[in-house]
Amino acid sequence: MDYPELAARTRRFNRGAPRSVTVANDGSRVLFLRSGGPTDPVDALWMLDVATGTERLVADPADLLAEPATDADPTGTPHPAEQALRERLRLSAAGIGSYATDPPARVAVFALAGQLFRADLLHGDVVEIAVNGPVLDPRPDPTGQRIGYVTDAAGDGRVGQLRVVDADGTDTLLAGEDAGVTWGLAEFIAAEEFDRFRGYWWAPDGRSILAARVDESRLPRWYLHDAGDPASPPRSVAYPRAGGPNAEVSLHLLDLDGGWVDVHWDRETYPYLVGVEWAETGPLITVLRRLQQHGLVLAVDPRTGETQVHAELADPRWVEPVAGTPRHLPDGRVLVGGELAHDGYDARCLFADGTLLTPPSLYVRRVVGWLPNRNGSPDLLVEGSEGEPSQQHLFRVRTAIGAGGIDARRMTADPGWHGGTVGGDVLVVQSRSLDVPGSTWTVWQGDREVGRLRSLAATPPYAPRPALERVTDRRLPTAVLYPGNHVAGRRLPVLLDVYGGPGHQEVVAARSAWLERQWWADAGYAVVTVDNRGTPGVAPSFEKVVHRRLADVILADQADALTALAGKHPDLDLGRVAVRGWSFGGWLAALAVLRRPDLFRCAVAGAPVTDWTLYDTAYSERYLGTPADSPEVYAHHSLLELAAEPVRDPEEARPILLLHGLADDNVVAAHTLRLSAALLATGRPHSVIPLTGATHMAAGGTAERLLALELDFLRQHL
């Protein structure tokens, strides 16, 4: 089996690997999802007992949904009904997509095929809970007695109802309105741009819920047709495009006995609700202005709904909250992530009521949780980078006030990309590196290694060894991959494989990031990847210099890095350079051949953003301002404007391969067709491949199966 097909069947070698790890707050057990093998898409819920180090299957979707067999085959052959069910699960990639637990992980709840299930993790029972409608995002209350959930249909035409089912089976509606208004769900912008994926939060005592109400009635709607199924009705999607209205989001405290308190803040000035945390000391929320240059961390009084400012977040470019913050420290102080940009510092740090907790040398990426400390106050577990952006490590950060100053100690020694999950005295470390395939999940209890979560993932056919280095005076992180059989002195065409967008890195010390690129290299290319300015991991100034000038800074960095690498790698033939990318990378790939045809000979642009006025509000306006205030900035970044410019020299009309999923609700496929029309009008050579049933990033193996088409295109034009 060749690499593209193998990658598609194994979901890029992730099927069979543990994911979605949770540790009980007393450290007694570890929960995770894992499918049955390298090609099995159906995730089941598993548990590791920390005391014994043994794994146990908690819930298998096929068992939970199977009808009882009435005429079992005495030979042991699976009953036809069971075979049909397992085939249906596999074809639909069904399974347990996510789950939630109470803090001590005594109870886990999850949705499966729209049904609600509750697993007793102490006794092993898994039961279906009868509820009123298909279930979304079920979550147990902290006592483990009740389950909150959202349903998208209750038989009365309502959408996004928030309901609670009690231990005795009573199913109660907490909030729900007519179509266009949802309760308890994150709106598109929150999930897509702020990584807030939920819309309700239980009180610590389980007696009330803090819920988001989302009104999308003002939003324009896209109507998406599935070309693969012309008979199906169009799917309607509310989409907040740049310069237009956003969904109206408000917060409300709902008592289970029917009480209702509105949370008060200036929602006109601060429309974005980007974070919510509710601990014993009360709720904390983070809100941002529309242009995201100013934000507030607010404490909410759960009795009155009134809010008090705990911290302000400000940046003339944009505010970038640290994941895992804000949160209350045990001593009552509020932990906030921010930037240190004075006295020569350029750092992403943590502060507790204004006191710096982390050294300026540590680039803080995420606050994971608490680590016990024998001296009293618990320490913070933090993911961050220190000097080398291609690596991420775990750090123990002291929070105690007193002598000794700032103390942040690195906990992971091996080079690579490390993440963590913690509960009580148990830490689960996920490690990826260039030396081993996939991820290793190691469970630690204090200094004792309990064991590792078993992985059933396939072993990739490649062991890529990219040359990672920093180039130019900007010290841009880069990587170069050669064919496995490369002989020094043989000049190679160059494939620049890009993303380049803010908030995402490509040059990382993890083998999984280079598997597909090694396939390209073995096809006869020197593959180059560059993390331009605007990407995270280096410093705030490195990230934010792209404000209002994404195109100029990013394209210049990519081109300069290529030139610098050619000086160090003489086998790179800069007379034969192709560029490929998806999403932001698709926009960048098309931009490269339109603006720099002297350097780039052809491009593969997957799901490109052709016109930033058609992209969503929060993303476009964060980096470019609003279309009304900055029309010239949007025009400067528009592929449609570039494509419409007359071709001065036919030799510089570089060919472009445009790819787009017809089920994409992020960058609507019609945008790509408009780009095609503009290219056609000016005589620029290009091809368009519409992908029926594919989403924004061509999920479900479509992207891998396109690789052969892309390769043919590059070989033709290089």
Side-chain angles (χ1 to χ4, degrees):
M1 188 184 302
D2 61 6
Y3 171 81
E5 184 66 23
L6 183 60
R9 291 193 181 190
T10 61
R11 199 168 160 192
R12 301 190 180 185
F13 306 95
N14 287 311
R15 285 175 176 158
R19 68 175 186 88
S20 300
V21 174
T22 300
V23 183
N25 65 0
D26 61 1
S28 58
R29 57 192 68 87
V30 176
L31 278 294
F32 59 97
L33 297 176
R34 184 179 62 206
S35 72
T39 61
D40 184 359
V42 182
D43 280 337
L45 180 61
W46 289 78
M47 183 180 80
L48 178 134
D49 182 270
V50 172
T52 63
T54 58
E55 293 182 2
R56 175 172 68 82
L57 177 62
V58 174
D60 183 341
D63 293 339
L64 295 176
L65 295 181
E67 294 293 335
T70 56
D71 52 348
D73 190 323
T75 65
T77 302
H79 188 273
E82 179 183 351
Q83 289 179 315
L85 173 65
R86 289 189 176 275
E87 183 63 16
R88 178 168 62 86
L89 286 169
R90 279 163 172 72
L91 289 174
S92 64
I96 302 174
S98 63
Y99 66 96
T101 72
D102 59 338
R106 297 167 301 192
V107 170
V109 300
F110 54 89
L112 186 60
Q115 301 164 232
L116 175 61
F117 292 87
R118 179 185 186 274
D120 184 330
L121 300 175
L122 297 181
H123 302 99
D125 299 331
V126 181
V127 296
E128 181 183 352
I129 307 295
V131 291
N132 191 356
V135 171
L136 297 172
D137 194 23
R139 296 181 180 273
D141 82 284
T143 70
Q145 299 301 307
R146 307 175 187 88
I147 302 171
Y149 72 96
V150 179
T151 181
D152 64 352
D156 58 1
R158 296 183 177 183
V159 181
Q161 294 184 351
L162 178 59
R163 307 183 71 93
V164 171
V165 57
D166 284 288
D168 63 2
T170 303
D171 191 348
T172 304
L173 173 67
L174 277 190
E177 298 180 46
D178 293 334
V181 175
T182 64
W183 282 86
L185 292 176
E187 75 279 14
F188 175 88
I189 288 296
E192 185 74 16
E193 307 302 351
F194 297 119
D195 293 334
R196 176 172 68 78
F197 301 106
R198 55 191 292 192
Y200 72 96
W201 299 263
W202 280 101
D205 62 6
R207 296 179 180 176
S208 59
I209 284 178
L210 182 61
R213 177 186 183 272
V214 176
D215 184 350
E216 296 182 330
S217 60
R218 300 189 307 160
L219 298 188
R221 305 194 76 84
W222 298 103
Y223 292 90
L224 307 180
H225 297 260
D226 184 356
D229 184 10
S232 64
R235 180 164 57 97
S236 172
V237 177
Y239 191 82
R241 55 180 286 187
N246 274 308
E248 296 183 2
V249 181
S250 55
L251 273 179
H252 309 269
L253 288 148
L254 309 177
D255 289 334
L256 300 188
D257 61 6
W260 178 310
V261 175
D262 299 330
V263 176
H264 302 287
W265 81 91
D266 185 353
R267 293 192 290 114
E268 289 295 321
T269 305
Y270 298 92
Y272 290 133
L273 175 68
V274 301
V276 178
E277 187 255 4
W278 196 347
E280 295 291 343
T281 43
L284 287 174
I285 65 173
T286 304
V287 295
L288 293 180
R289 292 191 178 193
R290 175 144 179 169
L291 290 183
Q292 301 160 62
Q293 294 167 331
H294 193 270
L296 301 174
V297 176
L298 303 173
V300 179
D301 185 332
R303 298 168 301 169
T304 65
E306 297 300 322
T307 56
Q308 177 183 356
V309 177
H310 254 301
E312 293 191 43
L313 310 172
D315 191 295
R317 297 151 302 185
W318 72 86
V319 167
E320 191 80 51
V322 172
T325 67
R327 65 172 67 198
H328 280 103
L329 297 178
D331 59 12
R333 292 179 295 164
V334 174
L335 180 73
V336 175
E339 294 168 6
L340 197 60
H342 55 79
D343 298 331
Y345 292 120
D346 185 12
R348 189 163 163 81
C349 303
L350 294 175
F351 302 85
D353 282 359
T355 301
L356 183 65
L357 294 183
T358 53
S361 60
L362 176 59
Y363 181 100
V364 176
R365 296 178 183 270
R366 183 172 79 101
V367 176
V368 179
W370 310 106
L371 291 169
N373 188 320
R374 297 191 185 98
N375 299 324
S377 298
D379 295 333
L380 288 172
L381 178 64
V382 171
E383 296 170 350
S385 298
E386 195 171 36
E388 179 45 65
S390 68
Q391 297 185 30
Q392 175 177 284
H393 289 276
L394 293 175
F395 295 81
R396 177 188 283 267
V397 176
R398 184 172 61 196
T399 64
I401 301 174
I406 296 170
D407 185 10
R409 302 180 185 180
R410 190 167 127 180
M411 302 177 67
T412 46
D414 295 336
W417 196 270
H418 305 273
T421 307
V422 68
D425 62 347
V426 170
L427 169 64
V428 181
V429 180
Q430 180 191 19
S431 298
R432 296 185 292 154
S433 76
L434 294 172
D435 298 322
V436 296
S439 295
T440 302
W441 295 84
T442 308
V443 182
W444 295 88
Q445 187 172 40
D447 296 329
R448 178 179 74 93
E449 182 177 333
V450 174
R452 294 184 176 182
L453 303 183
R454 197 162 50 103
S455 176
L456 307 176
T459 300
Y462 303 127
R465 300 299 302 183
L468 306 185
E469 51 192 314
R470 310 280 291 274
V471 300
T472 79
D473 58 343
R474 284 144 273 168
R475 289 184 48 76
L476 303 171
T478 67
V480 180
L481 265 177
Y482 289 103
N485 61 356
H486 178 62
V487 177
R490 181 164 63 93
R491 301 268 283 169
L492 294 170
V494 178
L495 175 60
L496 182 65
D497 196 24
V498 299
Y499 181 76
H504 183 77
Q505 287 178 251
E506 291 289 320
V507 182
V508 294
R511 183 179 292 184
S512 57
W514 307 103
L515 295 174
E516 183 180 300
R517 292 176 173 129
Q518 188 63 59
W519 179 84
W520 281 106
D522 287 352
Y525 298 89
V527 178
V528 173
T529 299
V530 179
D531 277 344
N532 46 255
R533 285 173 294 171
T535 57
V538 177
S541 64
F542 186 91
E543 293 175 60
K544 296 186 176 181
V545 70
V546 299
H547 190 235
R548 304 287 179 106
R549 53 193 191 120
L550 287 170
D552 297 339
V553 172
I554 292 175
L555 186 55
D557 281 358
Q558 294 283 337
D560 291 349
L562 269 177
T563 303
L565 287 169
K568 298 186 175 194
H569 297 262
D571 289 347
L572 271 60
D573 183 356
L574 294 195
R576 294 182 292 161
V577 179
V579 56
R580 72 180 291 268
W582 278 85
S583 190
F584 190 100
W587 169 79
L588 180 55
L591 180 79
V593 293
L594 291 171
R595 281 204 181 174
R596 292 294 308 272
D598 58 312
L599 179 59
F600 299 100
R601 300 294 298 272
C602 62
V604 176
V609 181
T610 61
D611 180 350
W612 288 99
T613 65
L614 300 176
Y615 204 64
D616 75 58
T617 50
Y619 192 95
S620 297
E621 295 169 9
R622 178 189 303 150
Y623 305 119
L624 303 178
T626 64
D629 293 338
S630 308
E632 73 288 351
V633 175
Y634 279 81
H636 186 66
H637 287 77
S638 171
L639 295 181
L640 299 179
E641 297 276 348
L642 273 175
E645 293 179 1
V647 177
R648 292 172 296 181
D649 181 353
E651 289 295 317
E652 293 190 346
R654 302 303 190 194
I656 304 174
L657 175 62
L658 298 173
L659 309 169
H660 208 117
L662 296 182
D664 189 346
D665 58 2
N666 191 9
V667 181
V668 177
H671 302 179
T672 299
L673 300 181
R674 290 179 61 195
L675 176 59
S676 175
L679 293 169
L680 189 64
T682 52
R684 299 178 189 271
H686 69 285
S687 303
V688 180
I689 299 181
L691 311 173
T692 59
T695 57
H696 183 54
M697 296 304 288
T702 305
E704 289 79 5
R705 295 184 175 104
L706 282 171
L707 292 178
L709 292 174
E710 296 182 50
L711 180 59
D712 287 344
F713 174 82
L714 296 189
R715 284 176 170 166
Q716 177 184 351
H717 296 290
L718 284 187

